[in-house]
Amino acid sequence: RAAALPPDARRSMIVEATLPLLLENGEMVTTRQIADAAGIAEGTIFRAFADKDALIRAVVDAALDTAALERELESIDLQLPFEACLAVAVEILQRRVVDVWRLMSSIGTKYHDRATRPIVDSHALVTLLRANHRHLAVEPTVAARLLRNFTLSVTHPMLVGEPMSPDEIVQLFLHGVSARKSLC
């Protein structure tokens, strides 16, 4: 029998155990599989969630929550050279793009409305860019939006066959596609 947990902690534990099962089985995952993975009785799921759909919606909400992404971006060592900082940030952003895509691809479209939420600026990414503002031709907030959108567009599995590497993204983001010849 699982140790007693406060309701929010129990819900979080069940959500965490369910995510990999959804990636593997999609919405066909059974509550028995979830209970086994969480180390709980199957009935515990239904004390924490109204039904399996409510649990899947909670998993989607948790996966789309940007708090973990922000913490990971905040952990980047700003003492690294600027391009190295950006490469780490891009790697984190790419992982998130793929993780969210994998989840949303594994579940039915009836859950996709959960993904419709406004895109908010990443405070951590803006902070990273602000710390290196002397390298930028645009405001850090604008640069953060551009980097996030560019990374998404060259990483998303439905948009590209093979994603660009973090270093390739950084180079193209910072230096563009121009040969930079003098206009004299």
Side-chain angles (χ1 to χ4, degrees):
R1 181 179 160 135
L5 291 175
D8 286 344
R10 172 74 65 206
R11 287 175 58 85
S12 294
M13 184 268 303
I14 295 169
V15 164
E16 189 176 314
T18 303
L19 176 59
L21 295 171
L22 283 174
L23 292 173
E24 184 179 332
N25 303 297
E27 66 183 288
M28 298 308 294
V29 65
T30 66
T31 54
R32 166 66 16 223
Q33 290 171 307
I34 295 166
D36 289 346
I40 58 174
E42 197 169 357
T44 303
I45 294 169
F46 299 107
R47 283 191 292 283
F49 298 94
D51 54 27
K52 190 173 86 171
D53 285 344
L55 170 56
I56 292 173
R57 286 190 296 276
V59 171
V60 171
D61 288 344
L64 295 175
D65 183 2
T66 59
L69 173 66
E70 285 296 298
R71 283 190 301 276
E72 202 171 354
L73 289 169
E74 286 169 355
S75 74
I76 297 171
D77 180 1
L78 298 181
Q79 299 305 310
L80 291 172
F82 181 51
E83 289 187 19
C85 283
L86 284 180
V88 173
V90 166
E91 185 177 336
I92 292 166
L93 292 170
Q94 285 186 297
R95 194 172 333 110
R96 174 152 171 95
V97 166
V98 172
D99 289 350
V100 169
W101 176 81
R102 284 184 61 219
L103 175 62
M104 298 310 288
S105 296
S106 71
I107 59 175
T109 56
K110 69 181 177 181
Y111 304 103
H112 287 197
D113 65 324
R114 306 303 285 188
T116 341
R117 49 186 77 193
I119 296 175
V120 295
D121 290 332
S122 165
H123 177 71
L125 192 54
V126 171
T127 298
L128 182 153
L129 290 162
R130 190 171 286 128
N132 292 281
H133 66 92
R134 67 190 177 284
H135 299 289
L136 302 175
V138 298
E139 291 296 318
T141 302
V142 173
R145 288 179 193 149
L146 291 169
L147 180 60
R148 182 192 63 218
N149 293 339
F150 180 52
T151 299
L152 169 69
S153 69
V154 297
T155 302
H156 195 288
M158 295 298 290
L159 300 176
V160 295
E162 184 68 29
M164 293 176 73
S165 74
D167 289 333
E168 290 170 324
I169 292 170
V170 168
Q171 290 306 309
L172 193 54
F173 174 73
L174 290 177
H175 308 294
V177 295
S178 170
R180 300 241 191 255
K181 293 187 180 190
S182 173
L183 299 176
C184 297

